[in-house]
Amino acid sequence: MIPDSLSQFQFDTIYNVFSLVIASQLFTSIFLIICLPRVLPRYRQALTVAAVVCGIAAYHYFRIFTSFTEAFVTEAVGGRGDYVQVAGASFNEGYRYVDWLLTVPLLLLELVAVLALARKVQASLLSRLVPAAALMIALGYVGEVASDNLTRGIFGLLSSLPFAYILYVLFVELTRSLKRQPESVRKTISLLRLLLLATWGVYPIAYLLPGLGIDGSDAWVGLQLGYSIADILAKCLYGLIIYRIARMKSFADDDGFAATELSVEDATNLKRSTVEI
Ligand SMILES: *C/C=C(C)/C=C/C=C(C)/C=C/C1=C(C)CCCC1(C)C
């Protein structure tokens, strides 16, 4: 599926987007670590996991970026012209899947951790979500590296089954525990779930592009862009919303903490639970 050549514009677009992903993941990770003291200890695990996810992604995007610049070169004088794949080097799509294999279960853990549900409920949710996530990515990888569209389609379809199961658990089963969350964060948690649905939904769509009869290099560029933008939203923005939830829950749980963290006026308003932080 990796094209033999890219135009200058295609090459530049991917180059810049990979660079943007590295910056987003790296600095979101650092930001989340710096913010740890701003939430109660019971929510720090969720925040730490969010920071680790972005850190792992930053590392993999370094590798993806290097793999990309080593695989495609131009022979044009002055370096502007079509880029072709170097003999003996190829773009490694494996980094992405190894990244997902680690980060997707951790993203689910983040969500479950910030909800701070009873230990038994947490364990039950994770024991179903994590294996389903691993299966989804393993099956997707087989399809991604397959050289024909039929194999790609079959494994894409198989991979969608555990994907559907994950969405079912998140939307049907988790809804019940939402009622036990403080009033002030329910809306934000629903928003987080919608973000998860919207961004995770981009991956199977991007995966489909090469099978839709779009010209080889355009489909591949579209797929890389789709995965990259979705990675920024599903890891960085998601992590920042987790932080917001953790902070709001910290205030709801502990008046003293809210009083030291907020101005007097905001803390009083919060007590009346009319204000959103
Ligand atoms: C940070 C990375 C994330 C959140 C990755 C999520 C990936 C998926 C939801 C991938 C799903 C796929 C299918 C549902 C079918 C086709 C193959 C995949 C692996 C692209």
Side-chain angles (χ1 to χ4, degrees):
M1 292 297 162
I2 298 166
D4 295 329
S5 75
L6 295 173
S7 69
Q8 179 75 49
F9 177 70
Q10 288 175 324
F11 180 89
D12 289 348
T13 307
I14 302 233
Y15 187 98
N16 292 335
V17 168
F18 284 170
S19 169
L20 172 73
V21 182
I22 293 175
S24 311
Q25 304 288 355
L26 184 60
F27 289 96
T28 305
S29 180
I30 294 172
F31 174 81
L32 290 169
I33 293 168
I34 294 172
C35 288
L36 277 175
R38 305 187 67 194
V39 302
L40 287 180
R42 73 183 66 133
Y43 299 115
R44 287 187 193 153
Q45 193 200 3
L47 231 58
T48 307
V49 175
V52 167
V53 164
C54 293
I56 293 174
Y59 163 75
H60 280 116
Y61 268 92
F62 270 119
R63 305 302 303 261
I64 290 172
F65 187 83
T66 310
S67 172
F68 175 68
T69 52
E70 282 172 357
F72 288 95
V73 294
T74 180
E75 261 142 38
V77 183
R80 297 200 70 80
D82 281 359
Y83 284 72
V84 293
Q85 272 205 69
V86 194
S90 83
F91 180 70
N92 184 359
E93 202 70 85
Y95 290 131
R96 218 177 254 301
Y97 277 79
V98 174
D99 180 75
W100 293 351
L101 200 56
L102 294 168
T103 56
V104 171
L106 290 174
L107 286 167
L108 295 164
L109 174 63
E110 250 174 75
L111 176 62
V112 173
V114 84
L115 295 178
L117 308 168
R119 217 160 261 283
K120 248 171 88 184
V121 183
Q122 289 199 14
S124 144
L125 282 169
L126 289 175
S127 68
R128 284 172 298 149
L129 289 171
V130 171
L135 190 64
M136 169 181 87
I137 288 151
L139 289 167
Y141 181 69
V142 180
E144 187 79 77
V145 297
S147 49
D148 64 295
N149 273 332
L150 181 66
T151 317
R152 191 181 179 83
I154 292 172
F155 279 90
L157 202 66
L158 289 176
S159 164
S160 302
L161 299 175
F163 180 55
Y165 177 70
I166 293 172
L167 295 181
Y168 164 79
V169 173
L170 289 182
F171 278 82
V172 179
E173 304 213 0
L174 215 62
T175 305
R176 284 182 225 136
S177 60
L178 267 187
K179 293 188 203 87
R180 261 170 266 132
Q181 297 297 315
E183 183 89 43
S184 56
V185 293
R186 274 185 220 160
K187 246 181 36 212
T188 314
I189 294 173
S190 301
L191 178 80
L192 183 74
R193 263 197 325 190
L194 279 183
L195 175 77
L196 194 150
L197 178 69
T199 55
W200 289 32
V202 173
Y203 296 90
I205 295 171
Y207 177 94
L208 274 179
L209 291 179
L212 294 180
I214 300 169
D215 169 59
S217 64
D218 280 342
W220 189 77
V221 170
L223 175 142
Q224 295 301 332
L225 291 182
Y227 287 164
S228 301
I229 304 295
D231 277 346
I232 294 179
L233 299 174
K235 296 184 172 70
C236 302
L237 182 60
Y238 182 87
L240 295 173
I241 297 179
I242 293 272
Y243 166 57
R244 184 187 159 90
I245 294 173
R247 193 151 160 85
M248 288 164 85
K249 288 187 75 173
S250 299
F251 295 156
D253 291 0
D254 184 340
D255 288 348
F257 183 74
T260 55
E261 286 286 304
L262 298 169
S263 68
V264 179
E265 195 188 340
D266 285 345
T268 328
N269 283 339
L270 181 74
K271 261 200 156 151
R272 292 192 208 111
S273 105
T274 49
V275 82
E276 286 218 340
I277 293 92

